[in-house]
Amino acid sequence: RLPAYGRLERTPAIVYFGQTTMAAPCLRFRRPQICPACIHCLGHCPGAWDYSCHAICPIHYLAMVDKCAYCRRPLTWDRPSIDVCKCGAYIQANTGESSEAHKLAGLFARVISARVAGETHRCELAALMPAWWTMATLDGIMRITMAMGIVSRDDCAVRFSSVHRLSSSAWALIVARGLDRLMQMESSDRARMASLRRKVWEGGLESLALKRVSSIDGQIAELLLQRIFGRKLSARFGLSRGHLSQQPLF
């Protein structure tokens, strides 16, 4: 279950359960999350739970739990049992009715579970997404969804350094917003596209265009940049851009 750290064409990458990602916030190595109801049935924690975008249980459609309801502290990896907090209390499942946002995020969690398990069958969410959805890697769709949904209000700045501290409930909202905005892109309404420019994290798409697991992910990111922001990337250095500097001179 330990991740493998390496490099993909000179760029740092993480391989986890057979999936490669180039964005550390996509993985929850600092703050684990669980679904107590699933643990009682499975007896273990699936690897898909360690992905940040897996914020809603795709079986129970409840938010994943990342803190103890008794002591209110974040869950830790060194807790006494998989369903017991360090304070000694049993970890309780989240309650509440499933909303449309929960359903969307739950469908995305199902995609993550399938990709981690190596399953390639067409999922329900693919029918709602653009045609390129099934061609992108797991890293690609997670980073695109994050870029589309992380901005909660118009022209809000993104603090990338704090993304890894986001709670499971916050990630559920990000995923739901991102998927909803991707579905809006299927419309040719100019006003709707103009409104997306103030709600999408341009830097996240730029990063994917230049630092990606596959060339297809980069092409999709460039397509989104062109459709939403009406521009193409001026730099074409790709994954070697970090080495095109004065460093070799010294």
Side-chain angles (χ1 to χ4, degrees):
R1 189 164 181 131
L2 293 177
Y5 295 89
R7 287 185 175 271
L8 181 63
E9 296 185 33
R10 299 182 179 180
T11 303
I14 305 171
V15 179
Y16 194 61
F17 279 90
Q19 301 295 322
T20 303
T21 181
M22 306 183 86
C26 288
L27 291 163
R28 297 184 61 95
F29 290 153
R30 298 190 182 188
R31 295 187 62 180
Q33 61 178 1
I34 66 170
C35 172
C38 284
I39 282 179
H40 296 155
C41 298
L42 301 174
H44 70 277
C45 299
W49 290 359
D50 297 334
Y51 285 86
S52 300
C53 289
H54 192 292
I56 298 293
C57 172
I59 298 175
H60 303 97
Y61 284 95
L62 294 174
M64 299 291 288
V65 179
D66 61 356
K67 65 180 179 181
C68 175
Y70 183 78
C71 69
R72 309 302 295 175
R73 294 179 180 175
L75 301 185
T76 60
W77 293 105
D78 59 344
R79 55 189 187 273
S81 181
I82 56 175
D83 61 345
V84 177
C85 175
K86 284 191 73 173
C87 71
Y90 280 101
I91 302 170
Q92 302 296 318
N94 283 314
T95 57
E97 295 185 4
S98 178
S99 63
E100 286 301 317
H102 275 63
K103 292 177 181 177
L104 265 181
L107 289 175
F108 192 84
R110 188 171 296 175
V111 172
I112 295 175
S113 297
R115 295 283 187 104
V116 170
E119 300 172 2
T120 57
H121 64 272
R122 189 175 180 85
C123 64
E124 183 181 345
L125 186 60
L128 305 174
M129 292 293 107
W132 49 258
W133 179 265
T134 55
M135 296 184 286
T137 66
L138 179 58
D139 178 65
I141 61 175
M142 288 192 300
R143 290 167 66 187
I144 288 170
T145 303
M146 179 170 64
M148 296 294 293
I150 198 169
V151 178
S152 58
R153 58 183 183 277
D154 291 359
D155 301 320
C156 181
V158 176
R159 296 180 59 187
F160 189 70
S161 60
S162 62
V163 172
H164 68 273
R165 293 195 295 267
L166 293 174
S167 65
S168 298
S169 57
W171 272 107
L173 293 175
I174 289 172
V175 171
R177 278 196 302 263
L179 296 177
D180 182 64
R181 290 168 185 171
L182 281 172
M183 288 189 288
Q184 290 180 33
M185 285 195 64
E186 292 301 280
S187 169
S188 57
D189 188 347
R190 290 187 178 181
R192 182 170 293 179
M193 291 300 294
S195 70
L196 281 178
R197 295 191 189 104
R198 307 180 65 185
K199 299 175 180 176
V200 175
W201 181 27
E202 187 177 5
L205 294 177
E206 287 180 345
S207 175
L208 178 59
L210 294 171
K211 188 175 69 172
R212 71 275 178 182
V213 171
S214 78
S215 59
I216 292 178
D217 291 348
Q219 293 169 18
I220 294 170
E222 289 189 46
L223 173 66
L224 294 175
L225 282 168
Q226 188 170 2
R227 287 198 62 189
I228 299 172
F229 299 99
R231 70 175 185 81
K232 296 182 179 180
L233 284 179
S234 57
R236 290 288 173 177
F237 300 136
L239 297 178
S240 63
R241 74 195 187 287
H243 301 270
L244 300 176
S245 65
Q246 295 183 11
Q247 241 180 355
L249 299 178
F250 298 96

